[in-house]
Amino acid sequence: MDVSESSPEAKPRKHVGNKWPVLLIGKKSTGKTSLVHTLAKLTNNRCVDIVLCESTDTTDILGSYQQVNVHGKAQFVWKDSVLIEAIQNGDWVVIENFNHRGGSTAVVLDRLNALLEEDNEELVINEAGLINGKLKTIKAHPNFRIFFLLNEETMVYSTISKPLRNRC
């Protein structure tokens, strides 16, 4: 189906086609998540959901060091988060409760600003420290897309940073 540039579908289509982040606003339980999952399925893309809450922190968004047993010795190794794996694998990511009140959600999401810059598509993960003398840097797969879902009933733009709002 051909969608004209003036239709309601044109803006989201343009965002996805240009690899821009997409912000979907709607009432609770109106199918925002289902819409993204359906589009992902129709375009043969894997879709990953991340639900934000008041306890969300950078380890949930970026990853963390975890203790593992290597040849009988305990060592700490960096483990990427589901989001980082999705970025590298070219998955579509749905961030639910984008405007969640409380906790450090806004600060955590601000870590994604560099990745969402047009023509950047890289994210430096300072939290991983130096690996082989260099900061861990990930490059977004060309198929990676991100969708932020915002519930109309709890729409509070003040908890979302202006730079992140401007990217959607």
Side-chain angles (χ1 to χ4, degrees):
M1 174 170 85
D2 187 28
V3 180
S4 75
E5 291 303 313
S6 61
S7 72
E9 298 86 6
K11 189 172 183 180
R13 186 189 71 190
K14 182 177 180 182
H15 274 63
V16 172
N18 287 328
K19 302 180 185 181
W20 296 341
V22 176
L23 174 61
L24 295 176
I25 302 171
K27 294 186 185 295
K28 187 175 183 176
S29 300
T30 55
K32 297 180 296 293
T33 304
S34 296
L35 172 68
V36 176
H37 279 268
T38 300
L39 290 172
K41 187 174 182 177
L42 290 171
T43 57
N44 296 318
N45 288 289
R46 182 173 173 254
C47 200
V48 176
D49 294 331
I50 298 174
V51 180
L52 301 181
C53 65
E54 55 195 39
S55 64
T56 302
D57 64 17
T58 54
T59 61
D60 300 312
I61 298 297
L62 301 174
S64 64
Y65 276 96
Q66 297 181 3
Q67 186 174 355
V68 296
N69 186 348
V70 178
H71 305 295
K73 289 183 140 183
Q75 292 183 352
F76 285 93
V77 297
W78 181 262
K79 172 75 171 117
D80 287 333
S81 70
V82 171
L83 173 64
I84 298 303
E85 290 173 356
I87 292 167
Q88 293 174 315
N89 294 334
D91 299 332
W92 287 17
V93 176
V94 174
I95 305 283
E96 303 243 15
N97 300 328
F98 177 55
N99 57 326
H100 187 274
R101 291 182 181 193
S104 58
T105 303
V107 174
V108 169
L109 289 174
D110 277 345
R111 286 291 285 113
L112 301 178
N113 280 336
L115 176 72
L116 303 177
E117 283 286 329
E118 199 168 347
D119 299 324
N120 181 31
E121 300 172 354
E122 281 189 351
L123 179 65
V124 176
I125 304 177
N126 301 322
E127 292 81 356
L130 295 176
I131 299 173
N132 298 324
K134 295 182 180 181
L135 288 173
K136 181 177 176 78
T137 303
I138 63 156
K139 181 97 171 136
H141 187 283
N143 294 339
F144 167 70
R145 301 292 185 277
I146 191 162
F147 300 81
F148 297 102
L149 307 187
L150 192 143
N151 289 327
E152 210 171 69
E153 295 86 358
T154 57
M155 191 160 45
V156 179
Y157 282 112
S158 62
T159 61
I160 303 167
S161 74
K162 190 173 181 177
L164 193 53
R165 269 185 288 168
N166 288 340
R167 287 170 175 82
C168 295

